[in-house]
Amino acid sequence: MAFRVTYVASLILLVFNIGGALHFSGSNAVEKTSFLMAAFALLFRKGADKSIIFLLVGEIFLVFILAAATPYRGFSWSIFFASLNQIIILFALLAGKTGFRDQQAVWKATAYLPLLCALLGFAYHFTGMKPMTAVEFATGLNRYLGSLSAAAFTSALGMCGVFAAVQLVLSGRKAYAILVIVDLLVLLAAGGRATLAVCVVVTGASVLIQRGIAITTKLSLIVLGSVGGLAVMAIFWKSFATRLAQSGDNGRFIMWDYLRTVIAEFPYTGIGFGHQFFITPHEVEILTGSAAAHNDYIRLSVELGTPGMIIFYVLLTAAVLKASFRGRRPNVVAILAYAGFLFLSNSDNALSSPLEFPLIFLALLSTHEKPYPRRLVQTRSLPQMQRGSRPAAAVSQGG
């Protein structure tokens, strides 16, 4: 129960975005601390996957050795240790043992979060606390923020919300179909192209492989989803067409060109995990609108060196596969969600975003099936049998 409470509270705290609304500079530290509390609550549960914990230790050992070996003079141990939460939280969600109650609590909370984001965004906007839209650098288009500070966060929130709401609908809670629509609208309004693609593939796959649903029902859901998707796309077509034609990498090539010069200077050790954000020149930040790399492969190559970046993803992939094969059958949806995470990592800060990698966790929760009601469990004891005797049915069939 401790994990459920702290994890859901962390998500709600993130969506409230106190830092953006009230200009509270310490909000990021509070959010990180709350997610870390949830991670440790899950890791310290009985039954956590020891193999994944071992991989977590290996990942931390890797970044520590490279940090100790870096010749970068601006290295800071305080920045390094403050950044480790990105690794710990992700591996904790993969290693921790969860149950049906965790599944339902997390899915329901995630399904409602985009709606909460929209309501808070409306309130913040009309009270003058924070605008609920922002102008994109390359296209000049307004992208929806809701209560959050970046459209990429809002679109990722919508992506996870759609997936969670669809899982609840598939489990028989048809009322959540309304939230599927609301969450999809939030995702589309935020203008996330990559998150929309990942959402369609991962959520669609979860519907197709869902057990206990007739093929005709699945086909009907696909047809209805396609028609509804086309209708929604028609509404947002102008915005999407403009972004597809004009935004490109949204000016990020300026950032990437600079970071490649850093990789060339520190090719084997990098500059230290968590340090990329702090080495971006102010001029580049002004041109791109952000100090973050928006490409985790380049970011980790800067921080760990290219060999370190490769080893980092090898260990992470091993952890995801171990978690995906933990049940009675492989969790194909979780593997697809991880593929989506790797796809998002090419154009976003997926590793450090607590709204993108949780899609993998949401997919892993689908392995928990609804337990039988207690009233259906027979509690009558079987007739006492003498030691060595066989049941009557076995005797009659055995001869």
Side-chain angles (χ1 to χ4, degrees):
M1 183 175 179
F3 162 70
R4 292 196 297 272
V5 172
T6 51
Y7 184 75
V8 171
S10 300
L11 290 173
I12 293 173
L13 183 64
L14 187 68
V15 172
F16 264 86
N17 189 19
I18 300 172
L22 301 178
H23 307 289
F24 173 48
S25 59
S27 62
N28 187 257
V30 174
E31 292 165 1
K32 285 182 179 179
T33 302
S34 62
F35 275 108
L36 270 176
M37 289 173 60
F40 285 122
L42 190 56
L43 277 177
F44 293 150
R45 268 186 179 181
K46 185 178 180 180
D49 194 313
K50 292 182 176 60
S51 299
I52 298 178
I53 294 176
F54 177 78
L55 291 169
L56 167 60
V57 173
E59 201 80 282
I60 293 176
F61 179 76
L62 169 71
V63 299
F64 181 84
I65 290 298
L66 292 172
T70 182
Y72 175 58
R73 292 184 178 182
F75 175 80
S76 167
W77 283 110
S78 61
I79 293 175
F80 172 82
F81 286 113
S83 302
L84 287 180
N85 68 89
Q86 299 171 24
I87 299 174
I88 296 171
I89 295 169
L90 177 53
F91 274 79
L93 294 179
L94 297 173
K97 183 178 181 181
T98 56
F100 181 75
R101 291 183 178 179
D102 299 314
Q103 175 205 79
Q104 294 298 296
V106 172
W107 278 356
K108 289 176 182 178
T110 306
Y112 274 106
L113 285 177
L115 176 59
L116 176 62
C117 175
L119 294 174
L120 286 172
F122 182 85
Y124 291 165
H125 182 83
F126 284 96
T127 55
M129 298 173 69
K130 190 189 78 65
M132 62 181 179
T133 60
V135 178
E136 187 175 47
F137 169 80
T139 63
L141 290 173
N142 274 325
R143 294 184 63 184
Y144 184 68
L145 305 176
S147 63
L148 299 177
S149 300
F153 294 158
T154 309
S155 60
L157 184 71
M159 172 186 68
C160 291
V162 169
F163 179 85
V166 168
Q167 304 317 301
L168 290 165
V169 171
L170 292 175
S171 66
R173 293 171 171 81
K174 297 181 180 179
Y176 282 88
I178 298 173
L179 286 180
V180 174
I181 298 172
V182 171
D183 296 350
L184 180 59
L185 288 173
V186 170
L187 168 56
L188 291 170
R193 297 165 298 177
T195 47
L196 177 61
V198 172
C199 180
V200 170
V201 172
V202 177
T203 306
S206 72
V207 174
L208 288 176
I209 69 173
Q210 178 73 18
R211 301 178 70 186
I213 298 179
I215 187 65
T216 53
T217 304
K218 292 180 180 180
L219 291 174
S220 299
L221 288 172
I222 292 173
V223 171
L224 288 173
S226 300
V227 172
L230 290 173
V232 172
M233 282 295 291
I235 299 172
F236 291 94
W237 171 248
K238 184 178 180 180
S239 174
F240 268 88
T242 303
R243 293 203 71 229
L244 287 170
Q246 299 181 23
S247 67
D249 54 28
N250 208 19
R252 292 167 186 163
F253 69 91
I254 302 171
M255 170 77 74
W256 298 339
D257 285 346
Y258 165 73
L259 292 178
R260 288 188 180 100
T261 65
V262 180
I263 295 171
E265 187 176 356
F266 305 94
Y268 301 112
T269 62
I271 64 173
F273 186 72
H275 283 67
Q276 177 276 314
F277 186 87
F278 299 94
I279 66 162
T280 304
H282 186 59
E283 297 82 359
V284 175
E285 184 178 352
I286 292 174
L287 289 171
T288 59
S290 173
H294 285 87
N295 183 312
D296 278 340
Y297 306 112
I298 293 178
R299 174 212 156 176
L300 290 177
S301 294
V302 168
E303 297 178 345
L304 308 177
T306 302
M309 179 271 291
I310 294 171
I311 297 172
F312 183 96
Y313 278 106
V314 168
L315 294 174
L316 177 57
T317 301
V320 173
L321 291 177
K322 180 64 173 65
S324 300
F325 283 84
R326 194 158 47 205
R328 291 177 294 178
R329 54 186 182 276
N331 191 325
V332 178
V333 179
I335 296 172
L336 283 174
Y338 179 59
F341 169 80
L342 295 177
F343 177 65
L344 292 172
S345 297
N346 191 55
S347 59
D348 216 335
N349 309 301
L351 183 66
S352 59
S353 171
L355 294 172
E356 292 191 6
F357 59 71
L359 182 63
I360 307 169
F361 179 56
L362 294 173
L364 287 171
L365 288 173
S366 62
T367 57
H368 302 298
E369 298 178 356
K370 187 175 182 180
Y372 290 108
R374 291 184 178 180
R375 57 188 173 84
L376 295 181
V377 178
Q378 294 185 5
T379 56
R380 295 180 181 178
S381 60
L382 294 172
Q384 296 291 329
M385 294 187 297
Q386 294 181 356
R387 181 170 297 183
S389 64
R390 292 183 295 171
V395 173
S396 62
Q397 293 174 8

